Amino acid sequence: MSATFHAMWASLRTIGRDPGTGGYRRYAWTGADADCRLWFRMQAEARGLEYETDRNGNQWAWLGDPAAGDAVVTGSHLDSVPDGGAFDGPLGVVSAFAALDELRRRGARFAKPLAVVNFGDEEGARFGLACVGSRLTAGALTKEQAHALRDGDGVTLPQAMERAGHDPDALGADPERLARIGAFVELHVEQGRALDTWPGDGADGPGAPVGIASAIWPHGRWRFDFRGEANHAGTTRLQDRRDPMLSYAATVLAAREQARLAGALATFGKVAVEPNGVNAIPSLVRGWLDSRAPDQAGLDAVVAGIERAARDRAAADGVDLDVVRESFTPVVEFGHALRDELAKTLAERADGRPVPVLGTGAGHDAGILSGSVPTAMLFVRNPTGVSHSPAEHAAEDDCLAGVTALADVLEGLACR
Ligand code: HGY
Ligand code: MN
Ligand code: MN
């Protein structure tokens, strides 16, 4: 198993990787994305799997006839955040192929169709909306809404897709495809340290290599547009300024305080300034807020508090403010039946020791699909908890334990 895992990891590792930082830039419908897609197709065809790209640009590799229905599907995404890590997404896709290899090695007899999937544009790094491929397929995003997306250079999603050879007019819900899926299981590197610090059960010390997801926090992205008045940095008196940078800076600090008070999370990680000159007071400052909370009421309260603080400060600065929600995912509670079936399978394979069940604040395609098909997630230990960073890492033994666990649950779901 480790040989095929390593071979896949090595062949994927260099695609879209920045030689300076070691981080990844695999954005939707770019050259790096095309290279990832070619990689996926080669892995599928090397295994004799039936390869297809669906109307929304998601890639599927089938073992067995999809039309038979009740398919067991596993996979994740290959795109990244700007300067992201190697594991977020790819670990789930590589592990899916490796788990299939392992089932074949075991001589498993497949009673249902099985597929490996790569969902397109999960991170929304280029067009701002998370999980575009799975949202379109689930009908949570319309073709018209997708066509309205544009990147920071003004390129629309349809233009980018056409340049990449994919028909943007084909976009849309795919209920027939979803109706053929009996279960979707996504393996993902944990984006936190819950598994690394999981209390031991006496026989073993703390920590566990693999866990099962219970829920995903509600979360979203809001764009704050602060419009002031461009002017000369060297000649404009302080009292004469309408400086949007001040309003933005105060809002960033207010976001941190609101989140702290509410036991939630709020991050301004992306900002765009016009005209962005050292000696010019900005005319416009655009800041993107990512906020998440354990429940919807908490999220609503945090975002409302941040927006209130932003409006108060903008008014004081003589600055106009528009706030636009660009992405939102409601709370996801993974279905207990599939979750408990996975927990039972993994406990049986671990001499009865229970596998951790844990929630997360990170969004995933499994969360989007959970409204349409039975979905579950497996997490692989991340010893530092760091993610969305070149420093993201998971130990080789834990990655292989994840493949074994995924093979075990797929065997339980798809094989007789
Ligand atoms: O932002 C997220 O939670 C995920 O990485 N898309
Ligand atoms: Mn991510
Ligand atoms: Mn991810």
Side-chain angles (χ1 to χ4, degrees):
M1 176 201 302
S2 65
T4 54
F5 183 93
H6 277 291
M8 283 190 277
W9 200 255
S11 61
L12 182 61
R13 184 174 175 275
T14 55
I15 297 177
R17 186 171 184 270
D18 181 281
T21 66
Y24 289 86
R25 287 156 174 72
R26 296 168 175 166
Y27 311 144
W29 309 111
T30 61
D33 186 60
D35 291 344
C36 285
R37 290 171 177 275
L38 176 62
W39 176 89
F40 182 94
R41 178 167 194 156
M42 289 171 65
Q43 295 303 325
E45 292 175 345
R47 290 169 174 78
L49 303 176
E50 186 184 332
Y51 170 81
E52 61 166 336
T53 302
D54 69 21
R55 67 176 57 154
N56 296 311
N58 306 307
Q59 295 181 290
W60 302 74
W62 287 95
L63 177 67
D65 177 7
D70 200 22
V72 175
V73 178
T74 183
S76 188
H77 62 95
L78 292 175
D79 69 306
S80 75
V81 297
D83 215 33
F87 295 80
D88 175 354
L91 183 62
V93 179
V94 169
S95 299
F97 282 119
L100 174 60
D101 295 345
E102 170 63 9
L103 289 177
R104 282 171 154 172
R105 187 194 64 78
R106 293 180 188 176
R109 293 170 59 213
F110 296 92
K112 300 175 182 176
L114 190 139
V116 176
V117 64
N118 166 34
F119 282 109
D121 199 3
E122 190 274 346
E123 294 291 5
R126 181 177 178 187
F127 295 100
L129 178 65
C131 300
V132 171
S134 53
R135 284 182 202 266
L136 281 163
T137 299
L141 178 71
T142 66
K143 176 169 79 169
E144 293 69 28
Q145 290 168 325
H147 281 199
L149 295 174
R150 64 182 59 235
D151 69 10
D153 297 323
V155 177
T156 66
L157 179 61
Q159 288 166 338
M161 293 182 84
E162 274 170 342
R163 290 173 193 169
H166 193 86
D167 176 10
D169 284 329
L171 295 182
D174 203 342
E176 300 81 17
R177 180 177 298 275
L178 294 178
R180 292 174 173 174
I181 299 174
F184 172 56
V185 181
E186 178 172 5
L187 180 145
H188 203 284
V189 65
E190 189 197 345
Q191 293 161 304
R193 287 195 62 219
L195 286 176
D196 191 53
T197 57
W198 201 265
D201 59 2
D204 294 320
V210 174
I212 296 175
S214 57
I216 297 176
W217 283 14
H219 59 283
R221 305 177 187 185
W222 289 260
R223 195 186 75 238
F224 284 59
D225 292 347
F226 298 93
R227 282 184 174 73
E229 180 180 66
N231 211 326
H232 194 301
T235 57
T236 311
R237 298 186 310 165
L238 296 184
Q239 61 267 44
D240 296 334
R241 295 181 181 208
R242 294 200 299 120
D243 184 351
M245 190 66 87
L246 293 181
S247 309
Y248 168 71
T251 301
V252 172
L253 295 173
R256 177 57 178 263
E257 181 60 6
Q258 291 287 332
R260 185 187 67 80
L261 292 172
L265 298 174
T267 312
F268 277 95
K270 177 181 175 181
V271 61
V273 182
E274 293 178 10
N276 210 26
V278 173
N279 56 353
I281 300 167
S283 55
L284 170 67
V285 176
R286 280 213 161 104
W288 281 264
L289 167 69
D290 177 309
S291 192
R292 317 195 185 203
D295 55 46
Q296 190 59 49
L299 180 62
D300 292 345
V302 171
V303 174
I306 295 168
E307 183 169 349
R308 200 168 36 251
R311 293 199 181 283
D312 290 350
R313 180 59 198 249
D317 293 335
V319 165
D320 297 324
L321 171 61
D322 287 313
V323 180
V324 178
R325 189 177 79 173
E326 291 195 337
S327 182
F328 173 70
T329 307
V331 64
V332 169
E333 293 282 348
F334 287 107
H336 291 190
L338 184 58
R339 182 197 71 184
D340 295 348
E341 184 175 348
L342 266 58
K344 180 170 174 291
T345 300
L346 295 182
E348 285 166 358
R349 311 273 176 131
D351 304 326
R353 267 173 297 141
V355 174
V357 178
L358 56 149
T360 181
H364 300 283
D365 293 307
I368 300 299
L369 289 191
S370 66
S372 314
V373 301
T375 58
M377 289 193 74
L378 295 181
F379 289 133
V380 170
R381 175 166 41 193
N382 175 339
T384 65
V386 170
S387 185
H388 287 186
S389 157
E392 182 184 73
H393 180 73
E396 173 184 339
D397 287 352
D398 288 346
C399 292
L400 297 179
V403 172
T404 300
L406 184 59
D408 290 346
V409 302
L410 294 177
E411 187 171 23
L413 292 170
C415 304
R416 50 172 164 275

